[in-house]
């Protein structure tokens, strides 16, 4: 597995991964509104780092670099719990500055737990059209434990 900046040839696989994993993750939302072209729409202008397995995208992280904001982090469900998200976060840390921030929907319990285990601190909660979110902040290097 290696991590690189997304290439144009990766976009079709990333579109599908984003679409499918969002439907699997956000089960409490009306996922019928999700579209394949959401990937380009929601990552426009962001740095996208892609995890590749045998040159096939299996995960990605997108970062709005002007503010060091992690906008998306998705791993294909077959590859979850193998340390890939941690490696993507470490790659993001190496390309940005602290603090690194992100918003995570409170109902996304698996992600909330993941970010807390990685050292992200809850700064505040807010409301979005999809429910309550937690604003997380990371001010130090990640643990390398998966």
């Amino acid at each position: 597995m290696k991590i690189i900046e997304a290439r144009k040839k990766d976009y079709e696989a990333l579109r599908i991964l984003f679409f499918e994993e969002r439907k699997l993750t956000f089960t409490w939302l009306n996922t019928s509104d999700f579209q394949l072209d959401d990937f380009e729409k929601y990552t426009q202008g962001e740095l996208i780092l892609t995890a590749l397995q045998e040159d096939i995208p299996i995960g990605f992280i997108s970062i709005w670099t002007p503010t060091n904001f992690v906008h998306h982090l998705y791993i294909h469900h077959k590859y979850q719990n193998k340390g890939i998200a941690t490696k993507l976060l470490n790659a993001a840390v190496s390309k940005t500055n602290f603090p690194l921030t992100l918003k995570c929907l409170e109902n996304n319990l698996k992600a909330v737990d993941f970010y807390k285990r990685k050292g992200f601190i809850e700064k505040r909660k807010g409301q979005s059209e999809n429910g309550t979110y937690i604003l997380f902040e990371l001010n130090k290097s990640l643990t390398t434990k998966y």
Side-chain angles (χ1 to χ4, degrees):
M1 200 268 321
K2 66 180 179 176
I3 296 174
I4 63 167
E5 286 192 32
R7 308 164 295 188
K8 287 294 177 195
K9 75 176 196 171
D10 299 325
Y11 274 51
E12 185 58 29
L14 291 171
R15 291 171 80 222
I16 294 167
L17 187 151
F18 186 60
F19 178 69
E20 291 178 353
E21 294 307 318
R22 286 172 68 215
K23 289 194 318 186
L24 290 172
T25 301
F26 300 110
T27 56
W28 66 93
L29 298 177
N30 179 6
T31 59
S32 65
D33 292 337
F34 295 169
Q35 303 294 318
L36 269 175
D37 64 355
D38 286 346
F39 175 75
E40 286 92 343
K41 184 166 109 178
Y42 294 137
T43 62
Q44 185 175 11
E46 296 180 343
L47 170 65
I48 303 169
L49 302 175
T50 306
L52 299 174
Q53 184 75 40
E54 298 178 11
D55 210 41
I56 297 169
I58 58 170
F60 76 93
I61 189 169
S62 70
I63 308 112
W64 179 248
T65 56
T67 59
N68 302 314
F69 183 80
V70 174
H71 195 198
H72 299 284
L73 174 57
Y74 288 93
I75 309 300
H76 188 285
H77 60 275
K78 291 182 183 175
Y79 295 92
Q80 291 179 8
N81 302 310
K82 298 182 185 304
I84 297 165
T86 300
K87 289 178 182 175
L88 282 165
L89 273 173
N90 278 324
V93 164
S94 74
K95 300 238 180 222
T96 60
N97 297 305
F98 291 113
L100 199 63
T101 59
L102 62 88
K103 290 179 181 176
C104 183
L105 290 176
E106 190 174 53
N107 284 343
N108 190 352
L109 300 177
K110 186 174 178 182
V112 169
D113 179 60
F114 171 78
Y115 292 122
K116 286 180 177 179
R117 284 186 286 115
K118 297 303 163 191
F120 282 81
I121 304 299
E122 183 178 320
K123 298 303 280 186
R124 70 175 190 271
K125 291 185 180 183
Q127 291 298 315
S128 75
E129 62 187 37
N130 295 318
T132 303
Y133 68 83
I134 301 169
L135 176 67
F136 281 110
E137 185 176 277
L138 181 70
N139 287 300
K140 61 183 175 65
S141 293
L142 295 171
T143 175
T144 55
K145 293 181 183 176
Y146 304 141

